[in-house]
Amino acid sequence: KGSPRGARGAQGGGRGQGGPGVAMALAEKLLGSLLILASVGIFVYYSVWVLVLPFVDEDIPRLRSLFPPRVYAIAIPAVLLVLFLSAVSIFIGVTVVRTQRKRKAA
């Protein structure tokens, strides 16, 4: 019918079975939460910069000093996109070359 330890017993997820698995799961949850928080923060900052700031008077230098010039609102994502696509292309190229070398060797 099943193991006496239950469905999660083999992974160390049962009660009273602390260990590296539990600590790793907690660390992964913390890292995931931090990444989501950072993503939401970046999204809100960028959205305010691009969608709200153009409608704010230029007479408020304190608010405008929190954001770079608007030209970077397009330049930064464009550069990041090019870098990301380059990295993906290089990864695919290296993977294809390694696979071909393994086929030739076998």
Side-chain angles (χ1 to χ4, degrees):
K1 287 200 169 194
S3 71
R5 290 187 277 181
R8 297 192 64 191
Q11 288 87 17
R15 289 186 183 197
Q17 295 181 353
V22 174
M24 183 64 88
L26 184 61
E28 289 176 355
K29 284 183 180 181
L30 179 63
L31 178 63
S33 298
L34 289 174
L35 288 174
I36 289 173
L37 185 65
S39 298
V40 168
I42 291 170
F43 175 77
V44 169
Y45 179 83
Y46 185 79
S47 296
V48 169
W49 179 25
V50 172
L51 300 174
V52 175
L53 201 62
F55 300 106
V56 175
D57 290 335
E58 292 189 18
D59 300 337
I60 309 172
R62 184 164 171 89
L63 179 64
R64 294 226 175 238
S65 69
L66 299 174
F67 300 95
R70 271 188 281 175
V71 68
Y72 293 121
I74 300 299
I76 292 172
V79 168
L80 290 176
L81 181 64
V82 167
L83 290 175
F84 174 75
L85 292 176
S86 298
V88 168
S89 300
I90 290 171
F91 174 76
I92 290 172
V94 168
T95 303
V96 168
V97 168
R98 286 183 182 173
T99 304
Q100 289 177 350
R101 285 184 185 167
K102 285 182 181 179
R103 286 184 183 168
K104 286 182 182 178

